[in-house]
Amino acid sequence: QVQLVESGGGLVQTGGSLRLSCAASGRTVSYYVMAWFRQAPGKEREFVALIGWSGSFTEYTESVKGRFTISRDNAKNTVYLQMNGLKPEDTAVYYCAADRGSKSQYTYNYWGQGTQVTVSS
């Protein structure tokens, strides 16, 4: 089993930055795809970014390209999401996921509890 714990969320003004972390425990996630999803109030959970096991492959949803950067430290069993240039539409609960997944949330079996990101205008 894999347990994931997100941290780093909070309240920030438009244009600000936050760095989310997701620490894994229980077993190594070094060979798993790690991803971030988000869910805004009244909306479905959506893909944000993913990173392959080695860290060399990344994918982003179009709306965050150039602003968000996903990275991982396999020695620490941790994945990060650096978010710059935040916009009010980025406001959501951000979830970390791990598995042999893709952009679809249904390909991930392991999820964190989520961390709230609120961007004020």
Side-chain angles (χ1 to χ4, degrees), residues 70-110:
I70 189 170
S71 62
R72 66 190 297 164
D73 185 337
N74 286 338
K76 295 182 178 180
N77 240 15
T78 301
V79 65
Y80 306 96
L81 186 68
Q82 178 66 44
M83 305 186 295
N84 299 327
L86 283 161
K87 305 175 181 179
E89 51 262 44
D90 295 317
T91 294
V93 177
Y94 283 70
Y95 297 91
C96 173
D99 212 324
R100 288 163 175 79
S102 65
K103 295 180 181 180
S104 169
Q105 61 176 313
Y106 301 107
T107 59
Y108 295 88
N109 283 314
Y110 305 111

Side-chain angles (χ1 to χ4, degrees), residues 3-111:
Q3 292 81 42
L4 303 173
V5 178
E6 302 98 333
S7 61
L11 174 64
V12 65
Q13 292 185 333
T14 296
S17 298
L18 284 173
R19 188 195 195 202
L20 305 183
S21 298
C22 172
S25 62
R27 63 187 292 182
T28 181
V29 293
S30 298
Y31 296 103
Y32 283 3
V33 172
M34 302 291 293
W36 288 95
F37 289 79
R38 65 186 180 186
Q39 187 168 20
K43 295 187 177 181
E44 292 189 358
R45 189 176 298 185
E46 66 170 353
F47 167 77
V48 176
L50 65 81
I51 187 166
W53 69 271
S54 71
S56 60
F57 177 77
T58 58
E59 281 195 81
Y60 298 90
T61 192
E62 194 64 33
S63 63
V64 308
K65 285 181 180 178
R67 300 189 297 123
F68 291 10
T69 302
I70 189 170
S71 62
R72 66 190 297 164
D73 185 337
N74 286 338
K76 295 182 178 180
N77 240 15
T78 301
V79 65
Y80 306 96
L81 186 68
Q82 178 66 44
M83 305 186 295
N84 299 327
L86 283 161
K87 305 175 181 179
E89 51 262 44
D90 295 317
T91 294
V93 177
Y94 283 70
Y95 297 91
C96 173
D99 212 324
R100 288 163 175 79
S102 65
K103 295 180 181 180
S104 169
Q105 61 176 313
Y106 301 107
T107 59
Y108 295 88
N109 283 314
Y110 305 111
W111 292 87

